[in-house]
C-alpha cells in the first residue's frame, strides 16, 4: 500500500512536471479510486483502530468546537468548570481570573487562573494531554466536569488550529515549587507529549513582558493558557454571557474577566460561604443493569454475595442483602467472583423485585429559590419574580433535582417575542442546542395558557418573560460530549414540568390578580365618571337640593363599590 | 484505598448483622463521604484513565440506546447499515433478511443477514468487539457507517442488558469454510473477548431447532445475532418505519423483514442496478486545519513539499503545488517531515490564499429526483408531488449534496397539523432528534408563506404535506454518535434551504394554480347561473323573441368568458 502510494506520487510528480513545461492546464486531476467488487480480503486491509483523539478531532463539533465563536466559549467554559470544581473540592472560595486577548481577528489567547489546590506535577501531562482521563468519571457526585474530555479537547483544538501547545502553571502550596508545562497530544495514540517543562520558584520575573491583569505568581492554584482559532462576539450566546450567567449560578465565586476589547468585568462574591458540598454516593441497585452487575460481581473484593451487595451499593443493609440473595436462590456465602451469567441474572431479578429506599437525596447541592431569584433580578428588571427548588427525584438510579425561576413583565422585556430561556446543569450555563434540550422540550410541553400566557402549538410561550431552569445531579445525561443540552429522560422531563407548573401557578395568580385589578379599576372609573351625572339627572327629575344630591351620590357610590368588590 | 474499602465493608457487615437481630429498622445508611478540604495529592489519587467502552457504557444515550424502544431500532439500524455498505462496496445487489423475535416483553433477539462479501476470520473479533475500530473512519467516501462504533456498541448494549455475547456467522465464498464467533467486550480495556469460535462447513445441521425465516446456511455474507433488552412498538419512529424508509431510500436492495409478531414484510428490489458507486477522495486543501497539515507533513512519505501537496490532497496539480510552496517562502525541495510549526503556518496561509478548484463533486451517489418521488408515492397518497436533487457543494472541504421532495394534499394527509418530515443521511433514515437537526431548522427557517402555506413563527409549516430531505456526503457531520441529527453547518443549511425553496416554488405554482382555477370556476358558474336570468329580463324589457334571446345570451356568455380568461 505504502509502496503503491509512493509510486503513485512519483508518477504524478513526473507527470505534473513534464506536462508543466508545455501546457500546464492539461495536468490531470489526481486519479479517483472507484470502489467496486471488493472482496472480504480487500475490505480487511482497510480495517484499523481509531484513537479517541482522532475520533474527536474529526468530530470536534461533538465537543462544542463547531464554529470559531463557539470554540472560544467552549474553551473558556472547560477551563472555568475545572477551576470551580477544583476550588470547591478543596473547600476554597473560588477567585477566578479569566483573560481573553486578541492576537488577530481569528486568533485569541485564553487564560484562566484559579486559587484552587493546584495539580501535582505527575498528573499535569495526562490531565491536559489525554482525552478520557479524569477524576470524576468513575464517581457519582454532583460536579461540573464528569467525562475527562473537556480541557484536553480544548488543548487539542488549539493544537489543531494554531499548532500551539496548551500551557499550564500550577502551584500546590507556598512551600512547594510550582511547575510549568507545555503539552501537546499525540492524537494517533491519545497520549500527552511534553513540549517544555520547568520549575517555578514563585520569584522569577515574568517570562514575557506583556502586562497582565493579575500577576502570574500565586500561592496555590492553576493557570491554563491556550492559543486558539476563534472569533469574539458579544451577546447572549457569547463568552460575556456565559461568564455573567456563571457568576449568577455561583454566587460564592469571585470572577474577574478581562474581555478581548480590554474591558474589565468584575463579579464580586455575593454568598460568603461555599454551597453545601455535594457528596459522593454508591450506585443504587435499581439503576444498575445486568451487565454492570456481572462486571461488579467479578471485580469486587467482597468475600460473599451479601457483603458485596451491602458494600458496593447504597440503600442495601445487611438484612436486605441477605433477603435479596435468598430470593435469588443464591447461597449467602457464594463468592461473587465466581458468579455465572445465569446467577447474576437471578440476582438482578431479585434486586428489581425488592423494594428499596430511594437513593439518598441529600447529596445534591441546589442553588436555592432565594439565590435563584436574586440571580435573575441581577440579570433582568421585571415586574414579577417567582422561583422554586424541588425535592430530589431519581432517574436510572441517579438522584437529581430541578429548580426553576421566572421574571415577568416590565418595560425591559419584549412582549411580542417568545420567552427567553436560561438553562443550567450543575451550575454551568448551557448556551447552545436549546431546541434539543429536555428543559426546552418541557417548557414547550407545559400548558402556559393555564397561567394566562399565550402559546402556539409546539412553541415556547409568547410573553415578556425570562425562564431559568437548573438541573443538579450526580450524573447529568447530556445529548453530546459538548454538554450543551440535557437528554430527554422521562423522569427528568416530569420533574422539570412540575417545577415549571409551580412557578407558572405563581405567575398565573399574579397575572389574574393583575387582570382583576385592571377590571376593577375600569369599573371604579365608570362609577366615578357617571355617578355625578346620575346625581344631576336625579336632581332635575326629583327637584332635590344640592346637599341631598351629594348624599344620594355618596350612597350610590358606596353601594356600587361594595357590589363591585363582591363580584 | 482498597484495604480501607474492605475494612469499611467488613465494619458495615458487622454492624448490619448485629443490629438485625434486635431492631432491623435501625440499620444505619452507608456512610457518606463528605468532600471537603482535599489537597492536590488527594485529588491526584482519583485521576484515572477512562476507556472508550466505559465512556459509552455510561453515556449510552449518545449512541442511541437511551430507551428500550430506541435500543431495538438502533441495533437493527447499525446491523443494516453495515450490511448495505458491505454489499455495495463489493458491488453486490443487497439481499437482506431482518428477523426480530420476542423472547419476553422486554427482551428480543435481533438477527440481520446479508449476501455481502463476508468478513475474514481475523477481523471478526475486533469489528464486533472493540469500539472505534473500522474501515471507514480514515477515508472520505459516502458511506452509511463512518465511525467504527455502531455494531460493537450494539453488542456492548446486549452484553450490558442481557449478559449475552453478540454472535456472528460469516462466509467469504462457497469454497472457503465459514466461521462463527461469539464475542463480548472487555469494557475496561476496550478489547474483544472471544466466548466461542467454530468453523462452519455449510452442511451442518442448524444448531438450534427453531424454525427460521431463511436458512442459516448461505454462500457468502454475514449474519449478526444479538439478544438485547428492548421493547417493540409500531409506528413511524419504530423499527417497522425505519425498515420501510430504508427500502424507500435503497430501491436497489431487496429486504425481507420478519417482525416480532411474526408478520412478514417483503420489500422487493425496485431498481435493478446498484447506484453509481461513491468514490473515495483525498482531502481538499481548503478544508484542512493547521494542526492536521502539520501532522500530515510529519507523517507523509513524500520527499519534498511539492510532491506532498500534489500527492496528499485533491485539486492540487504539480504547478499549483509549486506556486503554493513559493508563496509560502519554502524551498520546493524542502523535506515535509522536517517542517517546523512556523513553516507549516506559512504553508497553511499560502494554501488559504491560493484559489483552487472546488472538491470533486462526482464522488457522491444521490438518490435522484425521480426515485425520490417514486419513494414518496409509495409512502403517501397525495394530490401533488415535487422533487429536486441539487448539485454538490462543500463544507469544511467535504463535498455534499442535498435532495428534497414533497407530497401535498389529498385525503390521507391531515390538513390541520404540522407537516410530516422524513430525513435521510447517506440513504439512512433519521428517526429521532428531529428538532436538533439542521434539516428541521432549515425547514423552519424557510418562509413557506411565500408558497401559499401557513406557518407560525419558529414552527414547521402547517399543511397536509410530507417533506423528505436527503443529504449525501463523504462525511456527514452528526450532532452525536447515534447519528440521529445533522449538525448545523451554515453551508449545509444554506443548501437545504435552496432545495426546499426549489420544491416550495413548484408547490406554490400548484397551489396558486389551484386557487386561480377555483376562482375561475366560481366566475364561470356565476356566468352560467345569471346569464339566463339576464336573458329573461332583456326579453321582458325589449320584447324580443326566444330565438333573439338565445342569441343575445350566447354572445353575452362568450364575451364574459373571454374577459374572464384575460383576467
Amino acid at each position: 500500500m505504502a509502496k503503491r502510494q509512493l509510486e503513485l506520487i512519483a508518477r504524478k510528480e513526473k507527470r505534473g512536471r513534464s506536462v508543466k513545461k508545455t501546457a500546464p492546464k492539461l495536468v490531470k486531476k489526481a486519479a479517483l479510486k472507484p470502489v467496486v467488487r471488493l472482496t472480504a480480503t480487500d475490505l480487511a486491509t482497510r480495517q484499523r483502530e481509531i484513537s479517541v483523539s482522532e475520533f474527536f478531532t474529526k468530530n470536534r463539533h461533538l465537543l462544542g468546537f463547531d464554529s470559531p465563536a463557539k470554540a472560544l466559549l467552549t474553551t473558556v467554559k472547560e477551563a472555568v468548570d475545572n477551576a470551580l470544581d477544583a476550588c470547591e473540592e478543596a473547600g476554597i472560595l473560588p477567585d477566578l481570573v479569566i483573560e481573553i486577548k486578541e492576537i488577530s481577528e481569528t486568533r485569541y489567547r485564553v487564560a484562566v487562573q484559579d486559587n484552587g489546590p493546584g495539580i501535582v506535577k505527575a498528573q499535569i501531562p495526562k490531565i491536559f494531554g489525554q482525552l478520557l482521563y479524569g477524576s470524576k468519571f468513575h464517581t457519582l457526585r454532583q460536579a461540573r466536569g464528569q467525562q475527562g474530555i473537556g480541557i484536553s479537547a480544548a488543548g487539542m483544538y488549539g493544537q489543531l488550529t494554531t499548532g500551539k501547545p496548551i500551557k499550564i502553571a500550577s502551584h500546590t502550596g507556598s512551600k512547594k515549587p510550582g511547575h510549568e508545562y507545555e503539552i501537546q497530544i499525540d492524537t494517533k495514540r491519545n497520549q500527552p507529549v511534553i513540549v517544555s517543562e520547568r520549575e517555578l520558584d514563585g520569584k522569577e520575573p515574568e517570562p514575557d513582558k506583556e502586562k497582565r491583569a493579575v500577576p502570574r505568581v500565586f500561592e496555590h492554584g492553576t493557570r491554563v493558557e491556550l492559543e486558539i482559532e476563534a472569533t469574539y462576539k458579544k451577546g447572549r450566546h457569547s463568552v460575556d454571557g456565559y461568564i455573567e450567567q456563571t457568576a449568577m449560578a455561583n454566587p460564592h465565586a469571585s470572577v474577574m474577566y478581562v474581555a478581548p476589547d480590554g474591558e474589565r468585568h468584575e463579579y464580586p462574591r455575593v454568598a460568603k460561604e461555599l454551597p453545601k458540598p455535594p457528596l459522593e454516593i454508591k450506585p443504587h441497585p435499581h439503576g444498575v443493569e445486568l451487565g454492570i452487575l456481572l462486571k461488579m460481581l467479578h471485580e469486587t473484593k467482597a468475600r460473599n454475595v451479601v457483603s458485596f451487595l451491602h458494600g458496593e451499593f447504597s440503600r442495601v443493609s445487611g438484612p436486605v442483602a441477605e433477603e435479596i440473595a435468598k430470593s435469588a436462590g443464591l447461597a449467602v456465602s457464594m463468592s461473587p467472583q465466581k458468579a455465572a451469567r445465569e446467577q447474576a441474572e437471578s440476582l438482578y431479578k431479585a434486586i428489581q423485585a425488592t423494594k428499596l429506599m430511594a437513593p439518598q437525596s441529600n447529596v445534591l447541592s441546589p442553588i436555592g429559590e432565594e439565590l435563584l431569584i436574586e440571580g435573575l433580578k441581577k440579570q433582568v428588571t421585571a415586574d414579577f419574580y417567582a422561583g422554586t427548588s424541588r425535592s430530589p427525584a431519581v432517574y436510572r438510579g441517579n438522584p437529581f433535582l430541578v429548580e426553576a425561576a421566572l421574571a415577568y413583565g416590565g418595560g425591559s422585556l419584549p412582549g411580542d417575542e417568545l420567552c427567553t430561556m436560561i438553562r443550567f446543569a450543575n451550575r454551568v450555563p448551557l448556551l447552545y442546542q436549546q431546541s434539543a434540550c429536555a428543559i426546552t422540550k418541557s417548557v414547550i410541553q407545559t400548558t402556559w395558557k393555564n397561567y394566562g400566557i399565550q402559546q402556539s402549538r409546539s412553541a415556547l410561550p409568547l410573553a415578556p418573560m425570562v425562564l431559568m431552569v437548573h438541573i443538579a445531579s450526580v450524573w447529568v445525561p447530556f445529548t453530546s460530549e459538548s454538554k450543551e443540552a440535557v437528554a430527554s429522560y422521562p423522569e427528568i422531563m416530569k420533574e422539570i414540568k412540575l417545577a415549571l407548573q409551580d412557578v407558572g401557578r405563581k405567575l398565573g395568580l399574579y397575572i389574574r390578580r393583575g387582570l382583576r385589578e385592571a377590571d376593577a379599576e375600569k369599573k371604579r372609573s365608570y362609577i366615578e365618571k357617571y355617578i355625578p351625572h346620575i346625581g344631576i339627572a336625579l336632581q332635575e327629575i326629583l327637584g332635590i337640593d344640592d346637599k341631598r344630591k351629594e348624599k344620594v351620590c355618596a350612597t350610590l357610590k358606596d353601594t356600587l363599590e361594595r357590589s363591585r368588590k363582591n363580584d
Side-chain angles (χ1 to χ4, degrees), chain A:
Chain A
M1 182 71 192
K3 201 184 153 202
R4 218 179 94 200
Q5 209 172 16
L6 276 175
E7 281 168 11
L8 207 74
I9 293 167
R11 207 161 66 223
K12 272 183 228 150
E13 260 188 274
K14 217 170 133 190
R15 198 197 296 153
R17 282 205 192 122
S18 65
V19 176
K20 187 200 149 203
K21 286 169 199 157
T22 53
K25 295 233 163 129
L26 282 179
V27 172
K28 281 210 177 168
K29 308 173 224 170
L32 296 171
K33 281 181 274 173
V35 182
V36 276
R37 282 276 159 215
L38 293 180
T39 66
T41 320
D42 295 333
L43 292 175
T45 60
R46 298 162 162 250
Q47 300 284 356
R48 66 201 58 175
E49 273 185 43
I50 302 143
S51 96
V52 66
S53 309
E54 288 176 313
F55 177 77
F56 282 120
T57 302
K58 203 159 176 181
N59 284 312
R60 60 172 193 276
H61 55 273
L62 296 180
L63 302 176
F65 294 98
D66 33 350
S67 74
K70 212 165 147 186
L72 186 65
L73 171 68
T74 304
T75 302
V76 172
K77 183 170 174 274
E78 297 300 349
V80 169
D81 282 3
N82 286 359
L84 288 172
D85 273 348
C87 291
E88 288 171 22
E89 284 186 29
I92 297 165
L93 280 167
D95 280 324
L96 302 196
V97 184
I98 306 164
E99 273 180 277
I100 307 180
K101 248 201 149 77
E102 184 180 311
I103 292 171
S104 77
E105 225 175 285
T106 59
R107 200 177 267 204
Y108 289 80
R109 183 155 63 231
V110 173
V112 175
Q113 182 174 315
D114 65 52
N115 60 335
I119 302 167
V120 296
K121 182 172 182 288
Q123 291 293 333
I124 294 175
K126 292 205 151 207
I127 290 175
F128 294 92
Q130 177 174 348
L131 295 192
L132 292 179
Y133 186 88
S135 60
K136 297 159 199 163
F137 183 83
H138 292 281
T139 62
L140 285 176
R141 185 169 48 81
Q142 178 183 337
R144 293 169 185 81
Q146 53 191 34
Q147 311 180 130
I149 291 184
I151 192 67
S152 38
M156 198 168 78
Y157 175 77
Q159 173 178 337
L160 180 72
T161 53
T162 70
K164 298 269 179 83
I166 183 171
K167 195 192 239 176
I168 306 101
S170 184
H171 294 264
T172 56
S174 57
K175 279 167 199 154
K176 294 167 209 159
H179 295 280
E180 189 181 80
Y181 275 93
E182 288 187 310
I183 308 279
Q184 290 210 321
I185 299 189
D186 174 347
T187 52
K188 221 171 206 167
R189 300 186 306 123
N190 186 34
Q191 285 293 324
V193 176
I194 298 169
V195 177
S196 81
E197 169 179 6
R198 66 191 187 99
E199 209 166 85
L200 303 172
D201 62 5
K203 279 167 203 142
E204 67 231 292
E206 295 287 293
D208 40 15
K209 297 284 172 201
E210 294 167 54
K211 278 180 194 166
R212 288 171 184 282
V214 280
R216 292 183 71 184
V217 178
F218 44 98
E219 201 172 290
H220 57 80
T222 305
R223 180 183 177 93
V224 179
E225 249 183 275
L226 303 105
E227 201 171 310
I228 58 169
E229 197 179 290
T231 52
Y232 170 67
K233 280 177 194 161
K234 297 197 167 266
R236 229 168 61 78
H237 290 280
S238 70
V239 186
D240 301 7
Y242 162 76
I243 293 171
E244 192 180 342
Q245 291 184 23
T246 300
M248 179 174 157
N250 296 278
H252 60 287
S254 135
V255 181
M256 219 258 276
Y257 164 44
V258 188
D261 52 15
E263 211 177 311
R264 277 181 186 228
H265 306 259
E266 296 201 32
Y267 300 94
R269 183 170 293 123
V270 176
K272 290 271 156 7
E273 273 174 37
L274 277 168
K276 186 178 71 109
L279 302 178
E280 185 176 338
I281 56 167
K282 288 181 184 151
H284 191 272
H286 283 175
V288 168
E289 284 96 352
L290 174 53
I292 299 283
L293 181 68
L294 198 55
K295 201 176 150 217
M296 287 176 77
L297 280 164
H298 291 169
E299 289 176 1
T300 184
K301 294 200 174 79
R303 280 192 219 146
N304 62 55
V305 68
V306 170
S307 63
F308 163 74
L309 289 169
H310 176 55
E312 304 271 340
F313 293 98
S314 67
R315 299 311 204 191
V316 182
S317 62
V320 169
E322 275 188 44
E323 187 192 314
I324 292 172
K326 271 178 203 156
S327 81
L330 302 179
V332 171
S333 61
M334 189 187 94
S335 286
Q337 296 78 3
K338 286 177 191 156
R341 201 195 68 80
E342 288 69 26
Q343 290 172 314
E345 192 160 350
S346 312
L347 196 60
Y348 176 75
K349 283 181 184 157
I351 288 172
Q352 296 303 318
T354 306
K355 240 190 137 178
L356 296 167
M357 284 176 77
Q360 297 93 320
S361 56
N362 57 345
V363 298
L364 298 171
S365 168
I367 299 175
E369 185 178 330
E370 199 182 320
L371 281 172
L372 273 177
I373 293 179
E374 276 312 303
L376 254 186
K377 281 188 179 161
K378 274 203 191 145
Q379 285 238 324
V380 213
T381 312
D383 288 342
F384 176 77
Y385 299 88
T388 192
S389 183
R390 288 190 55 79
S391 324
V394 177
Y395 84 94
R396 263 181 54 199
N398 299 318
F400 73 99
L401 67 78
V402 174
E403 304 180 284
L406 61 78
Y408 175 85
S412 68
L413 292 171
D416 56 346
E417 285 182 14
L418 300 178
C419 77
T420 300
M421 292 198 39
I422 306 181
R423 298 171 292 135
F424 293 97
N426 284 357
R427 293 174 186 262
V428 179
L430 311 179
L431 298 195
Y432 284 91
Q433 294 218 35
Q434 180 168 302
S435 62
C437 185
I439 294 177
T440 313
K441 288 180 190 166
S442 308
V443 172
I444 289 174
Q445 289 174 22
T446 300
T447 314
W448 290 92
K449 281 178 185 160
N450 294 348
Y451 314 122
I453 299 275
Q454 276 189 54
Q455 186 183 23
S456 311
R457 190 164 22 177
S458 318
L460 289 174
L462 187 81
M465 180 163 77
V466 176
L467 261 179
M468 189 170 131
V469 177
H470 176 227
I471 158 168
S473 179
V474 297
W475 183 265
V476 180
F478 290 103
T479 61
S480 83
E481 290 82 351
S482 57
K483 305 200 285 183
E484 295 162 339
V486 178
S488 303
Y489 278 93
E491 298 89 341
I492 294 177
M493 289 188 63
K494 187 183 152 202
E495 274 299 312
I496 299 173
K497 283 185 214 165
L498 288 171
L500 291 170
Q501 285 165 13
D502 197 3
V503 290
R505 267 190 300 272
K506 290 176 188 170
L507 175 63
L509 281 177
Y510 168 77
I511 289 180
R512 272 195 296 278
R513 195 169 62 221
L515 289 176
R516 216 159 51 224
E517 271 169 11
D519 205 43
E521 177 59 33
K522 213 157 110 194
K523 278 194 192 155
R524 212 169 52 81
S525 75
Y526 280 147
I527 294 171
E528 292 203 337
K529 194 167 169 190
Y530 294 112
I531 281 184
H533 296 275
I534 293 172
I536 293 166
L538 284 175
Q539 196 174 25
E540 276 176 15
I541 294 164
L542 305 175
I544 49 177
D545 59 16
D546 279 4
K547 204 177 155 194
R548 187 84 193 271
K549 183 192 81 175
E550 291 304 322
K551 206 178 161 189
V552 169
C553 280
T555 316
L556 257 178
K557 197 172 164 183
D558 187 50
T559 314
L560 288 173
E561 269 294 325
R562 260 182 296 145
S563 91
R564 179 183 73 75
K565 279 183 182 158
N566 293 334
D567 261 5

